[in-house]
Every structure is written in C-alpha cells, then in structure tokens.
Amino acid sequence: MAEGKDVEALRRHWQANPEQQELDLALGFMVRQAATVEFFLHQTVRRLVGGRHAALVTLSMQASGLLDAIKRIIDVGAVSEEAAEEMAEISRKCRIAFKERNKHVHGVRMIGTGASEIWTNNRRNGGIDQHPVEAEKLVELGIDLARLEFQLSEWNRHHLDGHPKRRNRITSAPDQAGNSGE
C-alpha cells in the first residue's frame, strides 16, 4: 500500500495533469454506465428464469455470460418472436459495447507527450495492441451504454410486464459502424 507522501504526490500529479483528469472522469462515467447495463442484464435473466432462486443463476456472471444465458432462454421460446428479435438486437449492441468497455477497463493507459493510448494484451500472438484513447470517445461509449440501459429496461417493461412501449431520446445505440440503431 502506498505511503501517505506517495498518495499526496500522486494526487498533486493528477491535479496538475488536466488530460489525465479528463480521461479518468470520462472513464468513470463509462464504467458507471456499463455497471448499470450489467445490472439490468442480471435482472433480465432473473426475470426470465423466475422463481425465488433465480438470483442463484446469475451469481458471479459477467456481461457475456448473462448475454449467453438470455440467448439460451429466449432460444427455447420463453418470449414472443418479436421480443426475441428485439433482444437479439439489444444483445448484439451490448456485446459490441462491452468489448470496447473491456479494452478500456482491462488495458493499461499510457499518457505521454503524444496521444494517449490503451495497451492491451493480444492473446493470439502474445504481443501488445495499442489503441488511441480520447475522453470524448469514452463519453460517447457511456452514452451508448445509457441507451442500452433504456432499451433493456424498456424491453423488460414491455415484454415481461406488458406495458406499452415508450419512446425516449436515447433509445438507440449506434452499431459498430456508428449508425443509429433505429
């Protein structure tokens, strides 16, 4: 654990570096949004499974496992065809967003005199992949995740609770090419 003097030196360094502050704040926003989406994925699986022990099914599951579980449950006919198609699209967007999230959360951020980068391990060749990182892109990912949160909660509300669909200004998350999902 860092000593008090070390912590204060790190705090002063962080406060003196506006680029690092901006990236850290954007990363925090994006991570908070991703956690909210993951929460709604847990709730969706629990509601689809039903029963008082449904929470045991999702215990320790991460986003990809939750998405896999939702797909398996839906594939056996647990919901209407319309609901299944909508969830397939939401799940596709979630997988894209979580892949990007993982790069930023599990990578190492390198800040130098040039552009900031995220370095991640390349599991195929054992090397290091380098990806540019910008605060604005992190905020955009956070906004995409907020859209997915709305879509998940609305899917549950409409298809599992039977309420009419609502429209919201953040209803569609862009796909990989950056096109709106609507």
Side-chain angles (χ1 to χ4, degrees):
M1 186 159 181
E3 297 293 322
K5 292 187 293 186
D6 296 334
V7 170
E8 284 306 311
L10 287 171
R11 184 186 321 273
R12 282 191 306 277
H13 175 73
W14 187 78
Q15 290 171 337
N17 190 333
E19 179 189 2
Q20 188 168 347
Q21 287 180 21
E22 184 180 23
L23 285 169
D24 287 346
L25 292 172
L27 179 66
F29 169 70
M30 183 272 294
V31 167
R32 179 172 43 103
Q33 294 304 131
T36 304
V37 171
E38 196 163 355
F39 172 85
F40 278 99
L41 290 172
H42 276 271
Q43 298 310 310
T44 301
V45 172
R46 291 172 184 174
R47 295 195 63 211
L48 287 168
V49 169
R52 64 182 214 177
H53 300 298
L56 296 174
V57 173
T58 65
L59 204 61
S60 302
M61 290 180 85
Q62 296 175 352
S64 61
L66 293 163
L67 291 165
D68 291 344
I70 290 169
K71 181 180 180 344
R72 287 190 302 272
I73 294 165
I74 287 176
D75 283 350
V76 298
V79 296
S80 70
E81 190 172 319
E82 175 193 359
E85 288 173 6
E86 286 179 25
M87 183 51 75
E89 183 62 16
I90 293 169
S91 293
R92 183 188 69 77
K93 292 175 186 177
C94 282
R95 288 185 192 281
I96 292 167
F98 275 99
K99 182 178 181 183
E100 189 68 15
R101 171 229 174 250
N102 289 345
K103 179 172 60 177
H104 292 285
V105 171
H106 299 294
V108 174
R109 189 170 70 213
M110 306 303 285
I111 298 177
T113 55
S116 297
E117 293 181 327
I118 292 288
W119 291 6
T120 57
N121 290 317
N122 184 313
R123 293 185 177 141
R124 290 190 186 124
N125 68 17
I128 296 173
D129 291 333
Q130 299 172 352
H131 314 276
V133 62
E134 300 170 16
E136 183 59 32
K137 295 292 183 188
L138 290 170
V139 170
E140 287 174 14
L141 180 55
I143 292 168
D144 290 346
L145 288 159
R147 288 181 182 115
L148 288 166
E149 171 203 338
F150 178 81
Q151 290 175 3
L152 280 166
S153 64
E154 192 60 19
W155 187 90
N156 277 278
R157 188 179 172 281
H158 177 66
H159 292 291
L160 301 182
D161 295 338
H163 296 291
K165 289 185 178 182
R166 296 181 294 187
R167 298 292 297 166
N168 186 297
R169 66 180 180 266
I170 62 167
T171 56
S172 67
D175 59 21
Q176 232 173 352
N179 300 314
S180 175
E182 294 192 324

